[in-house]
Amino acid sequence: MPSDELELDLPPIYDLGDKVKIISEIKNDGTYPGKKLGEVLIDIGEVGYVISIGTYLQRAYIYAIRFMEKDIVIGCRKHELELIERGDQHESNAT
């Protein structure tokens, strides 16, 4: 994302219930409690579901992704995710 572009000027690209895959390793940046700074939280290829959408520094969306197999929730940016399947929420918004 170019530094002058505000992601929040556009709607989120993922929606609640979307099934997504991690495309870059997610490490603790100091915001995940109980884990060491730099510790790997989620590996590439792991699959989860969007459970909420927030914002970061009034510039970008943060997608809360629930990883069922590890039973954790991690905040991810759009460039860390790849859509696998649209959730039911997306279909109900289209009507």
Side-chain angles (χ1 to χ4, degrees):
M1 174 171 74
S3 60
D4 60 344
E5 180 183 332
L6 288 176
E7 187 178 327
L8 299 183
D9 286 344
L10 302 171
I13 62 170
Y14 302 109
D15 207 347
L16 299 178
D18 285 356
K19 185 177 183 180
V20 294
K21 176 173 68 172
I22 293 295
I23 58 172
S24 60
E25 189 176 68
I26 306 295
K27 295 181 180 181
N28 186 12
D29 61 2
T31 59
Y32 196 89
K35 300 287 185 179
K36 293 179 184 176
L37 184 65
E39 185 175 341
V40 174
L41 301 173
I42 296 293
D43 292 309
I44 294 171
E46 295 203 45
V47 174
Y49 296 87
V50 178
I51 62 167
S52 72
I53 303 168
T55 61
Y56 175 71
L57 299 177
Q58 299 178 349
R59 298 188 60 81
Y61 291 107
I62 296 292
Y63 300 92
I65 310 299
R66 176 162 203 110
F67 296 92
M68 308 301 266
E69 288 185 23
K70 289 192 172 184
D71 194 30
I72 62 172
V73 176
I74 304 289
C76 300
R77 299 275 310 272
K78 71 177 183 179
H79 65 271
E80 298 170 318
L81 302 168
E82 179 180 282
L83 181 67
I84 294 176
E85 182 179 300
R86 288 282 179 200
D88 294 336
Q89 182 75 18
H90 187 77
E91 292 172 9
S92 65
N93 287 341
T95 57

